Amino acid sequence: TGLVLRDGRCLGAEITDAFTDVRTRLAGPVLLAAGGLTGFFDGMTTGSRTNDGNVQAIAFAAGVRFGDLEMLQYHPTTVPIAGKRLLISEAARGEGGRLFIERDGAPWYFMEEKYGAGGNLMTRDIVSREIDAQGGRAWLDLSFLDRAVIDERLPEVRDLCEKYAGIDVTREPIPVQPSVHFFMGGLAVHSNHETNIQNLFAIGECASMYHGANRIGGNSLLSAIYSGNVASEEISSRKGGMRHPDFSGDLERERELLERNMDNRSPFPVMYMRDMLAETMQKRLGIVRSEENLAQGLSDIDYDLSIAERIHYDSSVMPYFNYSLTAILTLARATVTCALERRESRGAHYRSDYPKMDEALRFATIIAYNGGNYSVRLDKERAYES
């Protein structure tokens, strides 16, 4: 439901069970571990659809500062399956897997032709851009590898492809395409993982701190464990320092808001609006970006927000989806705004109109925060010195 904030401090959270509508009041410091903003690309990412970004959107609306929102990583080798994208590990290429597309009726190993023998092992952002340049789809061939190598070194790839895509990797290539995989940006935190709101913490993928403009897979596990330890130690050190707040006024305001929303009806289905957002983000905040494309994405989201103002209740879905739509659209707008502001190419953020890195932005983090009435305010700061 939301965070309880007073005088720049987080006093707790109000949580509503999406299935039963039972509301619970929790007092004390709040730690957010909500994962990435995969709901922006609903069903088009390797992450869980349950991480829809609503928790982060609530924090954004409450005045929490966000950093590096424009930095999101596409993984070059995924396979579309029901509800998400199946990740094909880089281990497949590490063991000798080769990427190709068909040209003149024969395999063309485009990565090897451009980058040499090690072309298939280039970084995720480069491989994703090269596949995008070839139409967005390619084949990953493991079938020439010795069966023992596949069974001993790539059993997960073999089993997942067979179970979810019906592909026998020992006999046929895997059809792959880049998909959103990891969000380097998120809630801007200090070294103790506290946000600009006192007693509100963020850890793991929903926090922005460790990955910068790119990210190596193993770093995520390390950062999640470390950030969890740091935040828990900080919170434990404050135990007993907060009195139980009176939530009655906050709950009453939320109840009135929900009742007003449920008194309205709209011809626009909420899930249709979410699908529109996913399509906009996929098309406008893609692997290769430009001023024109990003500006159109901003316009599309502004249009969605204008419609969302008239969508207050869709009885065909759970109240949660009604409740969270506007906040998610607003944070998506902030993400596109940050990508527009960073007029350079760096790591996973590639601008066709600004293909080089800008030295002036080398250590700059673009900070976004709520400007009111769906607007976004931006600051450029040297990254995470405090």
Side-chain angles (χ1 to χ4, degrees):
T1 301
L3 302 167
V4 180
L5 305 179
R6 294 176 194 164
D7 302 322
R9 299 175 68 233
C10 181
L11 303 184
E14 302 165 3
I15 298 175
T16 302
D17 188 305
F19 296 96
T20 65
D21 284 345
V22 173
R23 310 176 90 181
T24 304
R25 294 170 289 176
L26 301 174
V30 174
L31 186 148
L32 303 182
L37 299 167
T38 56
F40 287 177
F41 301 83
D42 191 30
M44 302 179 189
T45 78
T46 61
S48 171
R49 299 179 75 175
T50 59
N51 296 342
D52 66 356
N54 182 47
V55 172
Q56 296 93 317
I58 288 171
F60 182 81
V64 176
R65 294 160 67 84
F66 280 66
D68 294 327
L69 279 172
E70 72 277 15
M71 300 300 182
L72 58 99
Q73 185 176 73
Y74 280 77
H75 197 289
T77 55
T78 74
V79 178
I81 59 175
K84 62 175 294 181
R85 301 293 167 86
L86 173 65
L87 175 69
I88 305 301
S89 169
E90 281 162 322
R93 287 178 283 134
E95 294 297 333
R98 304 174 73 188
L99 288 163
F100 73 88
I101 63 170
E102 290 189 0
R103 190 169 73 172
D104 299 326
W108 175 45
Y109 299 96
F110 58 96
M111 291 300 299
E112 296 168 39
E113 179 167 311
K114 186 169 183 177
Y115 297 100
N120 294 297
L121 302 178
M122 298 299 287
T123 57
R124 292 175 180 179
D125 55 314
I126 292 177
V127 179
S128 293
R129 286 199 297 273
E130 294 296 342
I131 294 177
D132 185 69
Q134 303 304 327
R137 288 176 171 79
W139 299 92
L140 176 60
D141 191 16
L142 308 176
S143 62
F144 62 91
L145 296 176
D146 189 279
R147 178 64 186 255
V149 171
I150 295 176
D151 290 345
E152 293 174 13
R153 306 297 294 273
L154 302 171
E156 184 179 44
V157 172
R158 178 202 62 202
D159 294 344
L160 289 175
C161 284
E162 182 178 0
K163 181 176 181 179
Y164 293 104
I167 296 170
D168 181 354
V169 300
T170 67
R171 296 176 177 271
E172 55 189 323
I174 308 166
V176 295
Q177 62 188 71
S179 298
V180 172
H181 178 53
F182 192 90
F183 294 78
M184 279 81 80
L187 286 78
V189 294
H190 302 298
S191 57
N192 63 356
H193 278 269
E194 189 172 27
T195 68
N196 61 299
I197 303 296
Q198 186 181 359
N199 290 321
L200 178 64
F201 297 79
I203 63 171
E205 191 176 354
C206 76
S208 171
M209 189 170 199
Y210 300 104
H211 306 291
N214 224 328
R215 169 250 183 188
I216 298 173
N219 287 1
S220 297
L221 179 60
L222 177 61
S223 68
I225 293 173
Y226 177 75
S227 64
N229 285 335
V230 168
S232 62
E233 289 174 1
E234 180 67 25
I235 292 170
S236 295
S237 71
R238 302 181 186 183
K239 188 174 182 180
M242 293 180 62
R243 291 182 299 174
H244 196 295
D246 179 9
F247 283 158
S248 57
D250 302 280
L251 284 173
E252 181 61 23
R253 284 191 293 273
E254 291 296 330
R255 186 190 63 78
E256 291 175 356
L257 175 61
L258 185 59
E259 286 182 355
R260 284 201 304 272
N261 287 349
M262 294 180 70
D263 282 340
N264 292 280
R265 294 295 182 269
S266 169
F268 302 100
V270 167
M271 302 314 290
Y272 171 73
M273 296 298 299
R274 284 176 173 256
D275 289 343
M276 284 180 62
L277 173 62
E279 183 178 340
T280 293
M281 297 296 275
Q282 187 80 11
K283 185 183 298 184
R284 307 301 179 188
L285 199 69
I287 297 167
V288 178
R289 305 163 183 177
S290 68
E291 192 89 8
E292 179 181 4
N293 214 25
L294 290 167
Q296 183 59 56
L298 203 59
S299 177
D300 291 345
I301 294 173
D302 284 342
Y303 176 72
D304 292 344
L305 277 165
S306 70
I307 295 177
E309 289 182 334
R310 290 173 280 160
I311 298 180
H312 296 287
Y313 185 69
D314 179 355
S315 60
S316 66
V317 298
M318 292 188 298
Y320 168 80
F321 293 109
N322 296 272
Y323 199 83
S324 59
L325 177 63
T326 300
I328 289 173
L329 284 169
T330 303
L331 185 54
R333 189 184 192 281
T335 303
V336 175
T337 301
C338 290
L340 261 169
E341 182 68 18
R342 187 174 285 277
R343 293 178 175 85
E344 65 160 353
S345 291
R346 184 178 299 276
H349 173 72
Y350 187 84
R351 292 280 298 262
S352 60
D353 46 351
Y354 295 94
K356 296 182 179 180
M357 286 190 284
D358 183 349
E359 190 63 20
L361 296 174
R362 183 179 180 185
F363 295 109
T365 293
I366 295 178
I367 299 292
Y369 56 101
N370 184 8
N373 196 29
Y374 312 134
S375 67
V376 180
R377 294 184 180 179
L378 301 177
D379 289 334
K380 291 191 182 76
E381 299 181 356
R382 189 174 177 86
Y384 312 112
E385 291 185 313
S386 60

